[in-house]
Amino acid sequence: MSRDTKFVEAAAALGYSFDGEIKIGGNYAPLVQDGDRIYISGQIPRVGSDVIVTGAVGAETSLTHAQLGAKVCAMRALALLKQSLGTLERVKGIQRITVFVQSDKQFTQQSEVADGASEVLFNVLGPAGAHTRTSVGVYQLPKNASVEIDFIATVE
């Protein structure tokens, strides 16, 4: 099964569409390619115009809901790659993701939130989805998002 088909299936499993324009929130590039490397700007769990997972994890939203947010962030990044490259088959690998989790002061499961994104990347890209990862807790994120993730990928 192709990666593009797996992407469509992952979107359907989440119950969201990632077709069309991926809205960005400012005067910056959503991704920049430098040779075979692509840097993807931070993605929040926005579907259309709505940020679907908001608030501090551990207080205003649950771990499970934050993991959903991380999955949506990963799908947005993959959608940007697909739009830029024409197909996800050109992705050689995801080198690194950085996961920022808006955390209540007692919340310490940032890596478990990040697992949502890692799961999506592996399920869609297979071994090319394996990556290094850093997850950190932060006080606040844009639009009150619970999670934000940036990516570095290599492509053919």
Side-chain angles (χ1 to χ4, degrees):
M1 179 182 315
S2 77
R3 292 174 180 172
D4 296 333
T5 300
K6 290 178 182 178
F7 174 81
V8 170
E9 287 183 355
L14 289 173
Y16 297 109
S17 172
F18 297 91
D19 295 333
E21 180 184 3
I22 299 294
K23 183 177 179 173
I24 61 171
N27 189 19
Y28 62 89
L31 61 81
V32 172
Q33 186 166 354
D34 181 19
D36 70 345
R37 192 158 293 213
I38 294 182
Y39 299 87
I40 303 170
S41 294
Q43 299 299 306
I44 61 175
R46 184 187 328 236
V47 176
S49 296
D50 299 323
V51 179
I52 62 162
V53 182
T54 59
V57 184
E60 300 160 326
T61 196
S62 68
L63 169 62
T64 302
H65 204 210
Q67 289 170 325
L68 169 66
K71 290 177 182 183
V72 170
C73 293
M75 291 295 290
R76 285 174 54 91
L78 290 172
L80 286 167
L81 283 170
K82 189 171 183 282
Q83 289 173 4
S84 176
L85 301 170
T87 178
L88 292 173
E89 297 301 327
R90 291 187 53 206
V91 176
K92 288 188 343 191
I94 304 295
Q95 273 56 55
R96 180 166 186 77
I97 68 172
T98 307
V99 182
F100 303 93
V101 180
Q102 183 187 166
S103 301
D104 182 66
K105 66 182 181 176
Q106 301 300 319
F107 185 77
T108 61
Q109 293 179 291
Q110 289 81 11
S111 62
E112 286 85 347
V113 172
D115 287 342
S118 296
E119 177 184 316
V120 164
L121 293 172
F122 184 76
N123 287 343
V124 173
L125 300 175
H131 53 275
T132 64
R133 180 177 90 185
T134 298
S135 52
V136 296
V138 298
Y139 178 71
Q140 198 160 35
L141 290 169
K143 311 291 184 216
N144 196 32
S146 296
V147 62
E148 181 174 10
I149 306 177
D150 66 16
F151 295 72
I152 301 171
T154 53
V155 298
E156 296 177 354

